[in-house]
Amino acid sequence: MRVLTLLLLALLGLPLTAGGVYLLTLGGSPFYLFSGLVVLAVAVGVFQRKRWATPLYAIWLLVLLAWSLWEAGLYWWPLATRLGLPVIVGLVMAIPASRRNAQGTGHFGLGWPVLGTALLSAVVALVGIPRHLHETEGTLAMDIVNADPKLGDSPLAEGEWTAYGRTQHGQRFTPLKQITPENVGKLDVAWQIRTGDMRGPGDVGETTYQATPLKINDTLYLCTPHSLAIALDADTGKERWRFDPKSGLEKQRQHQTCRGVSYHSDAPVAAAAVAAGTPGADAPAAGAPAAAPALCAKRIFLPTSDAKLYALDAATGKPCADFGKDGALDLTHNMPFKQSGFYYSTSPPAVAGDRVIVAGAVNDNYAVNSPSGVIRAYDVHTGKLLWNWDSGKAGDTTAFDPNDRSQTYTASSPNSWSVASVDMELGMVYFPMGNRTPDQLGIYRNADEEKYATSVVALDLATGQVRWVQQFVHHDLWDMDSPAQPVLLDLDLAKGRTPAIVVPTKQGDVYVLDRRDGSPVHAITERAAPQGTEIPGQTVAAMQPTSALSFEPPPLRESDMWGASLIDQMMCRIAFKKLRYEGRYTPPSLQGSLVYPGNFGVFNWGSVAVDPQRQVMFGMPTYLAFVSTLVPQEHVRGQQTNAGEQGLNANVGADYGVRMHPFLSPIGVPCQVPPWGTVAAADLRTGKIAYQYRNGTIRDLSPVPLPIRVGVPGIGGPLMTASGVAFLGAAVDNNFRAYDVASGKILWDVRIPAGGQATPMSYLNSQGEQMVVLVAGGHGSIGTKAGDYVVAYKLKK
């Protein structure tokens, strides 16, 4: 037992001493060196069987406890990592067998001091279990503010879901009320199917299943990671048809995913126009013969990972022969560069009247000369190009000739890879904009690229001309592209009912704007940003905007570093002190800069759900720090590059590549103290956060499946119902949950067969029963379990 004690003391003391010296040279806390020396002294005392050894360790435990409380406060998770291993060593030292004298007839020291201090430390840490960092307790007011709000631009039966966010307003809100906070616990699987599209050994790292199905009449429509379109019976999940565009595999794709398909119908548009009294939209004369059904009168638009857009007959899944060439458009037309895998659409296009408007993703940081981020509107029936808006040359939207190779869009211009929203009444489509590649090098950008990057831009539906733009990061050097679909709703403010747009950002700011002109509903202020760069020609914006409604976390400190033990916490402190970090928007550097919030995003493509009746939002703020390091090209050559957004990307044509990765400890857990993932709600009229609580467990992260609610990262979106229930998968545990919107309390929590990194939806089946559907297929880059499941739930009878 004494040998075990010596071994434990050495394993604790030696790393603390060596690491403590290094940390001290970096300007870090001296406590680790002090601790290492004390523990090694105790080890010498135990080896020599000195009576002072155990009292010395007991005193150090008391000092450690006091220091831990001073640094971290009375919170379980930061205390557990500081105290856990030392307490275990103390308990071992308290065992009589570890303190026997050389003759074996007695003990060279007393055990009760070290036993008492170890137990005291454990008790203090346990007292901190109910307390949690960065949580806001409260309730959300659930009064109905607008009993008859706009849920979209055209009448839609309450049981339908015809666009990615239910309507082109992107609210992720269903007016259905059958499932309530009182009965949601009775939800059970109604049906479950597998699509057959699984992640394979030839896939890129970020092969993900992120789709949200549509529901039109009696059919669900969805896509799969490899761009298959599938139609399912909404009652049973039975497959009705599937279309395989055979988009193939390509190692140069950063993402292999499809978030959804889009829908257009000739008849409902006309009916809505008649109902609204639109000039020229006359109803058929009484007794007139029925018109022959148009070719593909109802069509599904499928974006594919090989940069094509297909129009499919919603009834059969066959390509619509009147659209483009044999039912498809090649979206690489007029591109200045056409590297295979560098350009594709991961999100469903916006359908607005007679046009389908398509944006696309451009690979980050693979090459300076990459495809354009152009946004294009096509005729929904023929595929004719109607206008093109290129953020690198924003003034002229005159449609190019797709057959004229001399007409090319601007290389690498800021793109919109996420989902757009549409206001038909105002005649605008709203795109969240990304950045120009390379993300971390600003020396390649022209004035238009600077103006429209990392923003939301409102384009005129008829012409593609810019109506207004609001930027969220000036001269973005951090890959903080606007990732989330903007949400449209009307807010009842003191000045009257205001058409608003809500834009969540990676930084955690939620911008609430008047969607007519982009003016702020809640204040936008500018604050000073860190300065200085060693990159020739690089500049850094002096000021950066922030919103009055924000889930931005406080800046990280050395004391916020975390780990499974005192030792790897110290190693995280060393890593922290070696990086450049002066808070949000620390410029990229050769030494490595800490990016926090990280480019994974406080909010990402899952956006937020908004209740337009109560005018509140529900979302999933996530907190992960990232590290960004600029690498001179002479050090890039010969290394593996361009294997995804994370890792080393070459930036071919630039003087520097960039290495991006999460800020993790040596054992692969985040270096910052949890929670790393939360759920939160806010009142959009007042701009006040009502509550924020940790979300998700480490069950699928740890070697032992412990359902401990730490608050884990996630990516995906929420759904809200008119009855006050929110649904969310997304977290990196394989769980699907329902929450009480008023309180944030978990009402229902079930296991799902794979990672649920998607956004759920809800509809009525043919029996009038409310269904909730989530796809579960996992996310390659965050390591959740892969699958090919579509799971539907309804209330037990």
Side-chain angles (χ1 to χ4, degrees), residues 51-64:
R51 294 181 62 85
W52 50 261
T54 51
L56 178 60
Y57 192 86
I59 292 170
W60 175 70
L61 273 182
L62 286 175
V63 174
L64 174 64

Side-chain angles (χ1 to χ4, degrees), residues 12 57 60-61 64-65 79-80 82-94 114-115 117-123 125:
L12 181 60
Y57 192 86
W60 175 70
L61 273 182
L64 174 64
L65 176 60
L79 289 179
R82 289 166 169 82
L83 299 173
L85 183 56
V87 165
I88 291 171
V89 175
L91 292 174
V92 171
M93 290 181 67
V114 72
L115 176 63
T117 53
L119 291 176
L120 173 65
S121 298
V123 168

Side-chain angles (χ1 to χ4, degrees), residues 693-753:
Y693 298 113
R694 70 197 189 284
N695 182 62
T697 73
I698 59 171
R699 174 169 179 165
D700 297 299
L701 297 177
S702 60
V704 179
L706 299 173
I708 300 173
R709 190 159 66 101
V710 174
V712 296
I715 190 164
L719 158 71
M720 271 208 285
T721 72
S723 57
V725 178
F727 289 92
L728 180 68
V732 294
D733 55 1
N734 301 330
N735 287 60
F736 188 27
R737 299 180 175 92
Y739 307 79
D740 178 19
V741 173
S743 66
K745 178 183 177 182
I746 297 172
L747 302 172
W748 177 74
D749 189 348
V750 295
R751 297 287 287 169
I752 50 179

Side-chain angles (χ1 to χ4, degrees), residues 359-391:
V362 178
N363 283 353
D364 285 338
N365 305 322
Y366 278 20
V368 171
N369 292 321
S370 292
S372 175
V374 63
I375 297 170
R376 292 168 284 190
Y378 300 92
D379 185 283
V380 293
H381 298 104
T382 66
K384 178 184 177 182
L385 183 63
L386 302 175
W387 53 257
N388 35 235
W389 181 72
D390 180 354
S391 59

Side-chain angles (χ1 to χ4, degrees), residues 32 71 82 558 569-577:
Y32 293 85
E71 268 212 332
R82 289 166 169 82
E558 183 192 333
Q569 183 204 72
M570 175 190 66
M571 296 175 75
C572 281
R573 287 183 183 238
I574 291 171
F576 178 79
K577 298 298 289 187

